[in-house]
Amino acid sequence: MPALSPRLRATDPPPIPAARAWAARYAGGAGPMIDLTQAVPGYPPPDALLAKLAEAGGSRAAAGYGPIDGDPALREALAADAAAFYAAPIGIADVAVTAGCNLAFSMAAAVLAGGAPGGVILPTPWYFNHRMALEMQGIPAIPLPCRAEDGFVPDPARLEPLLAAGARALVLVTPNNPTGAVYPAAVIEACAELCRRHGAWLVIDETYRDFLPASAAPPHRLFQDPGWRDGVVHLYSFSKAYCVPGHRVGAVLAGPAFRVELMKALDTWQICASRPAQAALAWAVPALADWRTANRDLMADRAVQFREAVAQLPGWRLDALGAYFAYLRVPQDAPDALAVAEALAVERGLLCLPGPFFGPGQQRHLRLAFANAGLEAIGQVPGRLAA
């Protein structure tokens, strides 16, 4: 048999299917399986959005190719939404639509670091698909350890030596996957300033920005800096906010120099994102603003319920929580997280992801994505963890 790519062969298998394989050994004694592995909205899109998707899916216009960087109507809608959210002048020229946010990251990594010396800094625990995307392209992933005692928020003082050593970019995910941590504006802006000082790019992934606590102030002021287009790349996903992960639509906000190179990746790796989904989402961005707000409040209620549920458990410690995720430290006398996660799946029908899937130094943590669980299921989590 001919050889296969050494980079792909060296990349770990996807974690979620690996964890779900444990479920095949569950006998059902604790009740129905509770799957908290994947960040999936636990409620459907509204009927009006489903109708728009069906209508666009049946249209002749949406069956053809569209502009490489996205249909203008969706780019304009997202630009207006982002401008209002960040209180900054963001326009259609700043927006490119992608076939999902994972692909947006892969293409951004190729533009910023593909084939170049240096690497990309990922705070740990990291989002495993980001690490996998870098590894597949031969781009070194440089860990920036984040500590539980800091709420898993990156420390700019620990960042600077990595930038000084020649890293090409820093990736921030806030609200964070896997921890749920929300990075303070001052930390984000300090990281941006350090990147600027050392000639590195800042990539900020705000897939979960629609689930930030309500606030009159934007989560940071990056876009209020007139020079942001020369050093910042922003990633966004429509999957969570609009409950359409299967339609694979994301976006990149970036300046003109970055976009020139991005267009090459867009044309080669995707040609265009899903046309029916773009048409429906162009309507949904302004029309479903109140619905998104209600979902933010729903997620906040689930987070409160989860915090209260876990507080009942002696020995377990909730080190971070936010957006879709809880990052839970296993008791001191328990085995490491990998063994605990497998036992919970096989014996108690509770599927979650062990910390080692999210990088080095995570042997004592579990990630639970509570967003796809109703309050009844969340209420069963303490009993299954305690057992």
Side-chain angles (χ1 to χ4, degrees):
M1 175 175 153
L4 301 173
S5 164
R7 288 179 183 169
L8 269 292
R9 291 178 64 192
T11 302
D12 289 335
I16 290 175
R20 286 179 173 170
W22 298 328
R25 294 152 51 201
Y26 174 54
M33 178 71 68
I34 300 175
D35 187 348
L36 304 182
T37 56
Q38 193 166 29
V40 179
Y43 43 85
D47 289 343
L49 178 53
L50 291 173
K52 291 284 185 182
L53 287 165
E55 178 186 356
S59 73
R60 180 177 296 180
Y65 287 132
I68 294 168
D69 57 352
D71 289 358
L74 180 55
R75 292 172 60 211
E76 185 65 53
L78 181 59
D81 184 71
F85 187 82
Y86 295 105
I90 297 170
I92 187 172
D94 300 316
V95 179
V97 178
T98 64
C101 196
N102 269 13
L103 183 57
F105 177 82
S106 295
M107 293 187 291
V111 172
L112 298 178
V120 173
I121 300 168
L122 299 182
T124 57
W126 54 42
Y127 174 42
F128 49 74
N129 281 151
H130 284 174
R131 166 57 193 263
M132 293 171 71
L134 295 176
E135 196 163 28
M136 289 176 187
Q137 297 185 53
I139 300 170
I142 304 168
L144 171 62
C146 298
R147 303 180 301 181
E149 53 266 39
D150 298 329
F152 291 104
V153 173
D155 182 349
R158 292 170 173 242
L159 167 65
E160 185 155 27
L162 303 180
L163 292 169
R168 298 187 65 84
L170 164 69
V171 178
L172 298 181
V173 182
T174 177
N176 186 255
N177 179 4
T179 66
V182 176
Y183 298 169
V187 170
I188 296 171
E189 292 159 17
C191 289
E193 174 56 32
L194 286 172
C195 287
R196 184 183 301 111
R197 189 183 308 164
H198 290 278
W201 287 83
L202 172 62
V203 179
I204 182 163
D205 182 335
E206 292 188 277
T207 290
Y208 300 94
R209 69 151 163 99
D210 297 278
F211 302 96
L212 285 165
S215 172
H220 54 75
R221 295 174 295 178
L222 296 182
F223 296 117
Q224 296 174 16
D225 177 357
W228 75 266
R229 295 172 180 85
D230 296 325
V232 174
V233 175
H234 181 274
L235 307 181
Y236 180 70
S237 172
F238 295 89
S239 295
K240 320 302 181 184
Y242 299 92
C243 302
V244 290
H247 288 281
R248 310 308 306 138
V249 186
V252 177
L253 303 185
F258 177 92
R259 281 175 53 84
V260 167
E261 309 309 323
L262 178 66
M263 291 291 281
K264 303 171 187 176
L266 290 169
D267 186 53
T268 303
W269 288 355
Q270 70 173 32
I271 299 181
C272 65
S274 165
R275 302 290 311 291
Q278 289 189 72
L281 287 166
W283 165 85
V285 171
L288 297 182
D290 291 342
W291 183 80
R292 282 189 290 158
T293 298
N295 290 337
R296 179 198 66 202
D297 295 341
L298 174 66
M299 283 299 106
D301 289 343
R302 290 186 181 182
V304 169
Q305 174 83 0
F306 193 92
R307 185 183 294 279
E308 292 175 350
V310 172
Q312 307 169 25
L313 295 170
W316 294 82
R317 194 172 85 193
L318 189 59
D319 279 338
L321 177 142
Y324 271 36
F325 307 110
Y327 210 56
L328 193 62
R329 183 187 292 268
V330 302
Q332 277 191 320
D333 58 353
D336 281 352
L338 192 61
V340 170
E342 183 175 2
L344 285 169
V346 174
E347 300 170 14
R348 303 304 300 165
L350 178 62
L351 274 176
C352 57
L353 296 182
F357 287 177
F358 301 98
Q362 307 304 310
Q363 291 83 0
R364 304 304 299 170
H365 284 90
L366 303 175
R367 190 200 78 174
L368 297 94
F370 57 79
N372 61 345
L375 296 183
E376 181 180 352
I378 290 173
Q380 295 179 37
V381 168
R384 301 202 187 191
L385 289 173

